[in-house]
Amino acid sequence: MKAPDRSVVRMIPRLVFVGMITIVFVISFSRAMNRSFNHDEHQFVTPAALLIQGGLLPYRDYPYFHTPNQVYLYAALTWWTPYKLLAARTIQVLCGTAIAALLCATAWRLLGRMDPLGRWLIAGGLLLVLISSRVFKHTDGLAWNHETSTLCALAALLLYLRGLSGLRPTSFALSGLLLGCAIGIRITFAPVAVPFLLSFWLSRSPVRRGQRLGGLLLWSLGMTVGVLPAIVPLLTLPSQFIFGILGYPRLTALVHLKSVKVTLLDKIVYFLHKLVDQQADAALLLLFLYCATFAAWRAKAWSGPHGGAILLTLGVLIALVPGVLAPTPPQIQYAYPLLPFMVLVIVYVLASVPVQPAARWVRLTGAALIIVVATDLPVTYQRLTSLLTPGRWLPMREHEVGKRITSATGPGALVLTTTPIQPIEGGLRVYPEFATGAFAWRMAPFLSPKDRERYGMISAAELGELLAGRPPDAIFFKRQKEFVQPFIDYAETRGYRRVDDPIRGGYAIWVRPGLHPLS
């Protein structure tokens, strides 16, 4: 009997891997195209559009409440298309898919001692548990900054470990660059630099001390380059930058705590509840706790070949916890960065077991993970058929709203709104003071007039002065939002006309006298 072609045998795992990742992308993309609009998306999509339209920069030209790297990332990747929300959500889907691909590939590589079927079941089961968890599904595909920053941090860790395994200067430089990018996208990744730095000196890698010092310098240089877009405003606009990164979150916490008392224990209970009340999340958490404690102790994983990787990954998880628990009020998406590093710990511990368990137990474990996920599959797949009708996708519907605003106002109109993505989708201009949507507008009244002027934030007290110099061609808002009453008062006292034909999605529009009606 003729032996099978080895090239074909080697190709099968690659084809299976590509098929699995393709399925992940399709599931994530279908979810992103059907998810309802989230008001947080304004503060990430709008600044990039303002940069493209007029070269406006965060902190300098408008208040911004995150580190700025994603503004430049979105601007670089979406300048060519008017479908800003569609492009931004697609970027996040690609990042989430890349996270899944990196974890699956790492699991397949590290679990090479298992029998092929058990190896696939474990790697595939962990992949399915990850993408089926409530935390992943809640965050995946929205135009936020969680998936881009997490991907950068995960890739930074894997490149760093590759650099420690031998003299690979490029790996160290790229690792530092990507971790700097993660910090420049979301400041909560800044503490992650600490376990990386400690690992340089505590690692037992074969790299000599002098070579390790060179790697540290390359890593530090790469991280400096990655975080440079945040360093520049820190040095040139320190007051505005520090308020956006630290002052604004503190202000929102203080305002929230006036109405609802939230303690650290409340936050811990909140996240534990989110991580145990659905099957996939509970399976991931329990498997992580088992592997990080009992299984790691039995396998003597701390002194094994992957001991450094396990300790560093656990250090990264610990460093991420403050960023999960610090914001008030707590939100489920803040736990998203923990997921891939929990999966990594599981994989490294399984790879450290000196004597692999019997094939049947490995297969049963992998099959159990898949069965746990199976109960959630109908929810995951129920909207796949919508991919055949792009006109029904949420980003396409919001783009249509933007076009209808344009038809009511004319090209290039200036729109006053706390929901700026829709006018931008129509190619219109918005006030940079509202680049973050309603966030700055809602918190401005809690600042003194002097601080509002310093940080570029306006309240109802400054609205008249702002609009006197730049009167809007139209006013656009969601009808049920109570904090747009000053907009309505302005429109009614100056003869603005409300368009009779309501715009789909609960929106309302008032146009300046002389502009043609909605066609």
Side-chain angles (χ1 to χ4, degrees), residues 31-42:
R31 182 188 300 133
M33 294 304 105
N34 288 283
R35 295 194 63 177
S36 58
F37 191 81
N38 185 280
H39 68 279
D40 278 9
E41 294 180 281
H42 292 293

Side-chain angles (χ1 to χ4, degrees), residues 18-61:
V18 171
M20 291 170 59
I21 300 306
T22 301
I23 292 172
V24 171
F25 173 79
V26 171
I27 293 173
S28 297
F29 187 77
S30 65
R31 182 188 300 133
M33 294 304 105
N34 288 283
R35 295 194 63 177
S36 58
F37 191 81
N38 185 280
H39 68 279
D40 278 9
E41 294 180 281
H42 292 293
Q43 64 177 319
F44 299 112
V45 176
T46 305
L50 292 176
L51 177 60
I52 297 168
Q53 286 180 350
L56 301 183
L57 296 175
Y59 318 110
R60 187 193 74 180
D61 298 307

Side-chain angles (χ1 to χ4, degrees), residues 409-492:
T409 60
L414 179 61
V415 181
L416 175 65
T417 181
T418 58
T419 57
I421 283 181
Q422 288 78 11
I424 284 172
E425 289 281 322
L428 304 177
R429 296 177 296 131
V430 297
Y431 289 84
E433 290 81 0
F434 294 93
T436 60
F439 285 100
W441 173 251
R442 285 189 298 184
M443 290 295 110
F446 299 97
L447 294 173
S448 67
K450 182 179 179 180
D451 284 340
R452 289 199 294 268
E453 181 180 3
R454 178 188 305 168
Y455 303 134
M457 297 170 65
I458 65 167
S459 66
E462 294 82 24
L463 184 63
E465 181 181 354
L466 171 70
L467 301 184
R470 291 175 289 163
D473 297 308
I475 301 173
F476 173 73
F477 54 86
K478 295 202 81 168
R479 290 193 292 272
Q480 70 271 28
K481 296 295 185 182
E482 69 281 359
F483 47 79
V484 297
Q485 187 59 45
F487 295 0
I488 299 174
D489 295 340
Y490 178 88
E492 291 178 338

Side-chain angles (χ1 to χ4, degrees), residues 212-440:
R212 196 176 300 173
L213 179 60
L216 173 60
L217 292 175
L218 284 172
W219 183 85
S220 301
L221 178 62
M223 190 173 73
T224 302
V225 173
V227 81
L228 188 61
I231 295 176
V232 172
L234 173 62
L235 297 177
T236 57
L237 301 163
S239 178
Q240 292 87 337
F241 179 84
I242 293 173
F243 174 78
I245 303 302
L246 301 176
Y248 180 84
R250 181 174 179 273
L251 177 63
T252 57
L254 292 174
V255 171
H256 182 81
L257 289 173
K258 287 182 179 180
S259 57
V260 180
K261 297 298 181 183
V262 180
T263 65
L264 178 60
L265 180 60
D266 292 330
K267 295 178 182 180
I268 294 173
V269 171
Y270 169 85
F271 285 109
L272 285 177
H273 173 71
K274 296 298 182 183
L275 290 172
V276 299
D277 70 340
Q278 289 194 0
Q279 296 93 322
D281 303 82
L284 179 59
L285 179 62
L286 292 175
L287 189 56
F288 163 74
L289 292 175
Y290 170 76
C291 288
T293 54
F294 184 71
W297 173 73
R298 287 195 62 185
K300 297 181 180 179
W302 319 122
S303 58
H306 303 295
I310 295 171
L311 291 173
L312 176 56
T313 308
L314 286 172
V316 169
L317 279 167
I318 293 171
L320 288 172
V321 169
V324 176
L325 297 178
T328 301
Q331 301 286 341
I332 186 174
Q333 63 267 21
Y334 299 151
Y336 180 89
L338 302 178
L339 301 183
F341 299 102
M342 291 168 64
V343 173
L344 265 189
V345 169
I346 294 169
V347 170
Y348 280 124
V349 171
L350 292 178
S352 299
V353 177
V355 178
Q356 289 297 317
R360 66 177 181 276
W361 292 113
V362 172
R363 295 175 183 178
L364 284 173
T365 301
L369 290 174
I370 295 172
I371 291 171
V372 164
V373 176
T375 57
D376 198 36
L377 287 180
V379 177
T380 302
Y381 290 114
Q382 64 182 354
R383 293 182 175 175
L384 282 178
T385 55
S386 68
L387 293 178
L388 303 176
T389 54
R392 296 171 56 189
W393 299 351
L394 183 282
M396 303 299 285
R397 298 200 307 268
E398 298 298 336
H399 184 79
E400 184 63 27
V401 171
K403 290 170 63 177
R404 296 183 69 180
I405 301 171
T406 302
S407 69
T409 60
L414 179 61
V415 181
L416 175 65
T417 181
T418 58
T419 57
I421 283 181
Q422 288 78 11
I424 284 172
E425 289 281 322
L428 304 177
R429 296 177 296 131
V430 297
Y431 289 84
E433 290 81 0
F434 294 93
T436 60
F439 285 100

